[in-house]
Coordinates of all heavy atoms in Angstrom, one line a residue:
N34 N 16.0 1.8 16.2 CA 17.0 2.9 16.3 C 16.5 4.2 15.6 O 17.4 4.9 15.0 CB 18.3 2.5 15.9 CG 18.9 1.2 16.6 OD1 18.7 1.1 17.8 ND2 19.5 0.3 15.8
V35 N 15.2 4.5 15.6 CA 14.8 5.7 15.0 C 15.3 6.9 15.9 O 15.1 6.9 17.1 CB 13.2 5.8 15.0 CG1 12.8 7.2 14.5 CG2 12.7 4.7 14.0
V36 N 16.0 7.8 15.2 CA 16.6 8.9 16.0 C 16.0 10.3 15.6 O 16.2 11.3 16.4 CB 18.1 9.0 15.8 CG1 18.8 7.7 16.4 CG2 18.5 9.1 14.4
S37 N 15.4 10.5 14.5 CA 14.8 11.8 14.1 C 13.8 11.6 13.0 O 13.8 10.6 12.3 CB 15.9 12.8 13.8 OG 16.5 12.4 12.6
A38 N 13.1 12.7 12.8 CA 12.2 12.8 11.7 C 11.9 14.2 11.4 O 11.9 15.1 12.3 CB 10.8 12.1 12.0
W39 N 11.8 14.6 10.1 CA 11.4 15.9 9.7 C 10.3 15.9 8.7 O 10.2 14.9 7.9 CB 12.6 16.7 9.2 CG 13.4 16.2 8.1 CD1 14.4 15.3 8.1 CD2 13.2 16.6 6.7 NE1 14.9 15.1 6.8 CE2 14.2 15.9 5.9 CE3 12.4 17.5 6.0 CZ2 14.3 16.0 4.6 CZ3 12.5 17.6 4.7 CH2 13.4 16.9 3.9
V40 N 9.5 16.9 8.7 CA 8.3 17.0 7.8 C 8.8 17.5 6.5 O 9.3 18.7 6.4 CB 7.2 17.9 8.4 CG1 6.1 18.0 7.5 CG2 6.8 17.4 9.8
K41 N 8.7 16.7 5.5 CA 9.1 17.1 4.1 C 7.9 17.9 3.4 O 8.2 18.9 2.8 CB 9.4 15.9 3.3 CG 9.9 16.2 1.9 CD 10.2 14.9 1.2 CE 10.5 15.2 -0.3 NZ 10.7 13.9 -1.0
E42 N 6.7 17.4 3.6 CA 5.5 18.0 3.0 C 4.4 17.9 3.9 O 4.3 16.9 4.7 CB 5.2 17.4 1.6 CG 6.3 17.5 0.6 CD 5.9 16.8 -0.7 OE1 5.6 15.6 -0.6 OE2 6.1 17.3 -1.8
Q43 N 3.4 18.8 3.8 CA 2.1 18.6 4.5 C 1.0 19.1 3.5 O 1.2 20.0 2.8 CB 2.1 19.3 5.8 CG 2.4 20.8 5.8 CD 2.5 21.3 7.2 OE1 2.8 20.6 8.2 NE2 2.3 22.6 7.4
S44 N -0.1 18.4 3.7 CA -1.3 18.8 2.8 C -2.5 18.4 3.5 O -2.5 17.7 4.5 CB -1.2 18.1 1.5 OG -1.2 16.7 1.6
V45 N -3.6 18.9 3.0 CA -4.9 18.5 3.5 C -5.8 18.0 2.4 O -5.7 18.4 1.2 CB -5.7 19.7 4.3 CG1 -4.9 20.1 5.5 CG2 -5.9 20.9 3.3
S46 N -6.7 17.1 2.7 CA -7.7 16.7 1.8 C -9.0 17.4 2.2 O -9.4 17.4 3.3 CB -7.9 15.1 1.9 OG -8.9 14.7 1.1
V47 N -9.7 18.0 1.2 CA -10.9 18.8 1.4 C -12.1 18.1 0.7 O -12.0 17.7 -0.4 CB -10.7 20.2 0.8 CG1 -11.9 21.0 1.0 CG2 -9.5 20.9 1.5
K48 N -13.2 18.1 1.5 CA -14.4 17.5 0.9 C -15.5 18.5 1.4 O -15.7 18.8 2.6 CB -14.7 16.1 1.5 CG -15.9 15.5 0.9 CD -16.0 14.0 1.3 CE -17.3 13.4 0.7 NZ -17.4 12.0 1.2
D49 N -16.3 18.9 0.4 CA -17.5 19.8 0.7 C -17.0 21.1 1.5 O -17.7 21.6 2.4 CB -18.6 19.1 1.5 CG -19.2 17.9 0.7 OD1 -19.3 18.1 -0.5 OD2 -19.5 16.9 1.3
G50 N -15.8 21.6 1.1 CA -15.3 22.8 1.7 C -14.8 22.7 3.1 O -14.4 23.6 3.8
K51 N -14.6 21.4 3.6 CA -14.1 21.2 4.9 C -12.9 20.2 4.9 O -12.9 19.3 4.0 CB -15.2 20.6 5.9 CG -16.3 21.6 6.1 CD -17.2 21.1 7.2 CE -18.3 22.1 7.4 NZ -19.2 21.7 8.5
I52 N -12.0 20.4 5.8 CA -10.8 19.5 5.8 C -11.3 18.1 6.2 O -11.9 17.9 7.3 CB -9.8 20.0 6.8 CG1 -9.2 21.3 6.3 CG2 -8.6 19.0 7.0 CD1 -8.2 22.0 7.2
E53 N -11.0 17.1 5.4 CA -11.3 15.7 5.7 C -10.2 15.0 6.5 O -10.5 14.3 7.4 CB -11.6 15.0 4.3 CG -12.2 13.6 4.5 CD -12.6 13.1 3.2 OE1 -11.9 13.1 2.2 OE2 -13.8 12.6 3.1
H54 N -8.9 15.3 6.0 CA -7.8 14.8 6.8 C -6.6 15.5 6.5 O -6.5 16.2 5.5 CB -7.6 13.3 6.7 CG -7.1 12.8 5.3 ND1 -8.0 12.4 4.3 CD2 -5.9 12.8 4.8 CE1 -7.3 12.1 3.3 NE2 -6.0 12.4 3.5
Y55 N -5.6 15.5 7.4 CA -4.3 16.1 7.3 C -3.3 15.0 6.9 O -3.4 13.9 7.4 CB -3.9 16.7 8.7 CG -4.9 17.7 9.2 CD1 -6.0 17.4 9.9 CD2 -4.6 19.1 9.0 CE1 -6.9 18.3 10.3 CE2 -5.5 20.1 9.4 CZ -6.6 19.7 10.1 OH -7.5 20.6 10.6
Q56 N -2.4 15.4 6.1 CA -1.4 14.4 5.7 C 0.0 15.0 5.8 O 0.2 16.2 5.4 CB -1.6 13.9 4.2 CG -0.5 13.0 3.7 CD -0.8 12.4 2.4 OE1 -2.0 12.4 1.9 NE2 0.2 12.0 1.7
V57 N 1.0 14.2 6.2 CA 2.4 14.6 6.3 C 3.2 13.6 5.6 O 2.9 12.4 5.7 CB 2.9 14.9 7.7 CG1 2.2 16.1 8.3 CG2 2.8 13.7 8.6
N58 N 4.3 14.0 4.9 CA 5.3 13.1 4.4 C 6.5 13.4 5.3 O 7.0 14.5 5.4 CB 5.6 13.4 2.9 CG 4.5 13.0 2.0 OD1 3.6 12.3 2.5 ND2 4.5 13.4 0.8
L59 N 7.0 12.3 5.9 CA 8.1 12.4 6.9 C 9.3 11.7 6.4 O 9.2 10.7 5.7 CB 7.7 11.7 8.2 CG 6.5 12.3 9.0 CD1 6.1 11.3 10.1 CD2 6.8 13.6 9.5
M60 N 10.5 12.3 6.6 CA 11.7 11.7 6.4 C 12.2 11.2 7.7 O 12.5 12.0 8.6 CB 12.7 12.7 5.8 CG 12.3 13.3 4.5 SD 11.9 12.1 3.2 CE 13.5 11.6 2.8
V61 N 12.3 9.9 7.9 CA 12.6 9.3 9.2 C 14.0 8.7 9.1 O 14.4 8.0 8.2 CB 11.6 8.1 9.5 CG1 12.0 7.4 10.8 CG2 10.2 8.7 9.6
T62 N 14.8 9.1 10.1 CA 16.2 8.7 10.2 C 16.4 7.6 11.2 O 15.9 7.8 12.4 CB 17.2 9.8 10.5 OG1 17.0 10.9 9.5 CG2 18.6 9.4 10.5

Side-chain angles (χ1 to χ4, degrees):
N34 304 320
V35 173
V36 294
S37 68
W39 59 275
V40 178
K41 180 179 175 186
E42 297 174 313
Q43 56 186 24
S44 62
V45 294
S46 176
V47 178
K48 184 175 181 181
D49 298 325
K51 295 187 179 187
I52 294 175
E53 191 170 46
H54 69 263
Y55 300 83
Q56 178 175 336
V57 293
N58 290 347
L59 300 170
M60 301 303 288
V61 178
T62 304

